[in-house]
Amino acid sequence: MAVAAISVSLTVPKLLRSLGMGPVIATSVCMIALAIAIGHYAPALRTHPAQQSRSAHKPSASLVAAAVLGGCCLWSMAAIVARLLVTDDQNPAQRVAAEPLLPTLLFVLVIAPVTEEILYRGLLQGALNRVFPVAVSVSLTTAVFALVHPRPRDMIMAGAIGLLAGLAREVFGTMKAPIMAHIAMNSASVLIPAAAVSRLAHGPAAVPVLVLLAVSILLIGIIARSATTAPTRDPRKPNDPKQKETP
């Protein structure tokens, strides 16, 4: 089912564009329809074994902060590396800015993060987890997600998004974590000018900044993971379970 869904996500938007529909609208319509179909049919077919945790329905502040900060740091690293390897005047989000503003922002900041995470981290990675170890399933899902983006620079950025989102799904055990990380990285792609990234990438501060970002991502992950797994005490229970309440 995962392979069929990915094939549909790649072919149907091209068909809709050939009928006169704009790229953003065509892709949005296809991805929303796919996400609805996955949510409806995948659990019944047992091909969507998405893990759920106590934070799945109510993400903690540490989860939100880790996803946002980690996404921004990893996007910055990927953008610098992509600038060093590939010459391009615009980043992917700024290229689609030629489309109408409101549909473009809605697609980049909401539709694409939610639907792509459902398709790749939810359906594909969830199915691969049933066959391979987690490290292999995350790597394969990240590779597929990168390869479906045809431009070389887009592949690098998509690979960074896929890696962080895949790890977030496994570490936090909820689909909300990769979605928030994806939104953070797409937001950075919209807000940070390509010229500024290019100047930084080709300047003397590129390597120190990359090292600083890498260390920051590691620390964010460690702190957020420890905060998420820390045991919480029910305030209705006494501190000492052996202590009996006196009348």
Side-chain angles (χ1 to χ4, degrees):
M1 183 176 179
V3 175
I6 293 173
S7 300
V8 169
S9 71
L10 298 176
T11 56
V12 172
K14 295 180 180 179
L15 176 62
L16 295 177
R17 289 198 298 268
S18 68
L19 299 176
M21 191 175 291
V24 171
I25 302 299
T27 306
S28 299
V29 170
C30 176
M31 294 301 291
I32 290 174
L34 267 179
I36 294 173
I38 291 170
H40 183 73
Y41 292 107
L45 297 175
R46 296 185 179 182
T47 56
H48 185 216
Q51 301 173 355
Q52 296 293 328
S53 69
R54 286 176 296 177
S55 63
H57 300 289
K58 188 178 180 181
S60 63
S62 62
L63 173 61
V64 176
V68 172
L69 294 176
C72 291
C73 289
L74 188 57
W75 181 92
S76 301
M77 287 187 64
I80 293 173
V81 172
R83 279 288 166 182
L84 291 172
L85 300 178
V86 182
T87 302
D88 196 354
D89 293 333
Q90 294 177 308
N91 62 44
Q94 288 167 339
R95 277 199 299 270
V96 294
E99 297 288 316
L101 179 60
L102 184 58
T104 298
L105 291 178
L106 185 63
F107 174 77
V108 172
L109 302 180
V110 180
I111 296 175
V114 174
T115 58
E116 287 181 348
E117 292 311 311
I118 290 174
L119 175 57
Y120 289 95
R121 257 59 64 181
L123 183 63
L124 178 59
Q125 187 168 316
L128 290 174
N129 277 343
R130 302 178 65 185
V131 182
F132 301 104
V134 169
V136 177
S137 63
V138 171
S139 300
L140 290 176
T141 304
T142 301
V144 171
F145 187 64
L147 290 173
V148 299
H149 295 77
R151 296 172 181 263
R153 189 166 177 272
D154 293 1
M155 286 185 184
I156 298 174
M157 303 303 297
I161 293 175
L163 178 61
L164 178 64
L167 292 175
R169 179 197 190 278
E170 301 302 332
V171 169
F172 294 104
T174 167
M175 285 300 299
K176 286 184 173 65
I179 289 174
M180 287 187 291
H182 199 149
I183 290 174
M185 295 185 77
N186 279 13
S187 300
S189 183
V190 172
L191 297 174
I192 301 177
V197 177
S198 182
R199 285 194 297 270
L200 177 61
H202 296 286
V207 174
V209 169
L210 286 174
V211 173
L212 178 61
L213 290 171
V215 173
S216 299
I217 293 172
L218 180 61
L219 291 177
I220 289 169
I222 293 173
I223 294 172
R225 179 58 175 167
S226 61
T228 304
T229 56
T232 56
R233 185 179 64 85
D234 190 343
R236 294 173 298 179
K237 296 181 180 180
N239 292 332
D240 187 358
K242 296 181 180 180
Q243 182 180 359
K244 295 182 180 181
E245 294 183 0
T246 55

